[in-house]
Amino acid sequence: MRTRVAIIGAGPAGLLLGHLLQRAGIDSVILEDCTQAHVEARIRAGVLEQGTVDLLEQAGVAARLRQQGMVHHGIELRFDGQRHHIDLSGLTGGRAITVYGQHEVVRDLIAARQACGAPLLFEVSRVALHGLDSQSPSVSFDHGGQRQVLACDFIAGCDGSHGVSRQAVRPGALQVFERTYPFAWLGILARAAPAAHELVYAGHARGFALFSMRSPEITRLYLQCRPDEDLAGWSDRRIWDELHARLETGDGWRLNEGPVLQKGITPMRSLVTEPMQHGRLFLAGDAAHIVPPTGAKGMNLAVADVRNLAHALAMHYQHGRDDLLAGYSSACLARVWRAEHFSWWMTSLLHRFDDHTPFMARLQHAELAYVCASQAASRMLAENYVGLPFAPLPA
């Protein structure tokens, strides 16, 4: 087998990269170890920045997003039993977020790739990367009961933080910056009509809580919990009681309850890999960086990465330019670290830490009050939450 770009991973990063390359006339093969059904059913974050929505529109894969995506022009911060609205659009010149599940984006991109007949192989195993420092890298893998070798010009590692791509780089060539948080999120999907039209971030003495939604019929909710929390100890009734306690306000607002369709524990960590490339391997999305979900940046950073990588590859093949490939990491990392800081800041603003003394609680409360009272502070939150505009792509 032979292709120009071998893409490891059929998540949003790998699928969008393949789609952008296809539109630029650059062939690629996408390899994924899971089944198509599993990939399309993975429930992840669903808050799309303005720039992400615009790029999906430009790429021609936003038809269902336009029909089903829920555009939000603000978010709500809650503390002291009171609600505080942050006018995202009013503070950012009309920019907004769109709630549209990551698995829906994945389905749209899979459908687009299969419609054009470009190679997308599911259920591959024993994937190994070779020749990263050479001019002729390759990927070996098992598929359909046979061992195969895919020769290529470049490899895009889009296979997440536990994938084979980053591990294939020789020790010491990459530096990893990492922080693990002393808490996790207990998340549920419930068949219940959302009780609010915007996302709600709540700081509470019992811990953080987040109200979100996936559709007009499905509510997504999270509770701060211990990282070693035993899910078996959380009955549906206990979860709803805790959500009511942390989210409800003094004006009578209440959650809508319904059958819990899914529950799970999400660990919280930050991770950045520098550089995001080695030889002919380029890392994108979770393979290169992880953010705590508080800032809703994970998939949006992946989209920003592959926007840069697809353009750099197009300039290589169409104009013989290699400077953009050489500068891929630096082009991505400025945005990555800004998103890491914002996600850390949002996390620190709203969660209870192990050393949460009365002094630290007062400082946190003062910060929340300032963000809600100061237009400058609200604008900082809004600009980062809707996503800073993409840097222009070099001509």
Side-chain angles (χ1 to χ4, degrees), residues 22-38:
Q22 184 76 13
R23 287 170 63 89
I26 301 168
D27 60 282
S28 65
V29 174
I30 301 178
L31 306 176
E32 168 60 47
D33 61 355
C34 297
T35 66
Q36 179 175 342
H38 178 80

Side-chain angles (χ1 to χ4, degrees), residues 278-346:
H278 177 77
R280 291 291 178 118
L281 170 67
F282 296 84
L283 302 174
D286 286 359
H289 40 71
I290 300 288
V291 291
T294 323
K297 294 298 166 211
M299 180 170 60
N300 295 294
L301 277 182
V303 168
D305 290 346
V306 299
R307 173 181 178 267
N308 286 326
L309 184 53
H311 182 67
L313 288 166
M315 292 298 100
H316 167 81
Y317 285 111
Q318 296 169 5
H319 302 285
R321 287 184 59 178
D322 286 339
D323 58 313
L324 300 185
L325 285 172
Y328 167 71
S329 284
S330 58
C332 294
L333 283 171
R335 189 180 189 91
V336 168
W337 279 112
R338 174 86 288 277
E340 289 283 358
H341 179 271
F342 177 68
S343 299
W344 164 83
W345 177 78
M346 283 281 286

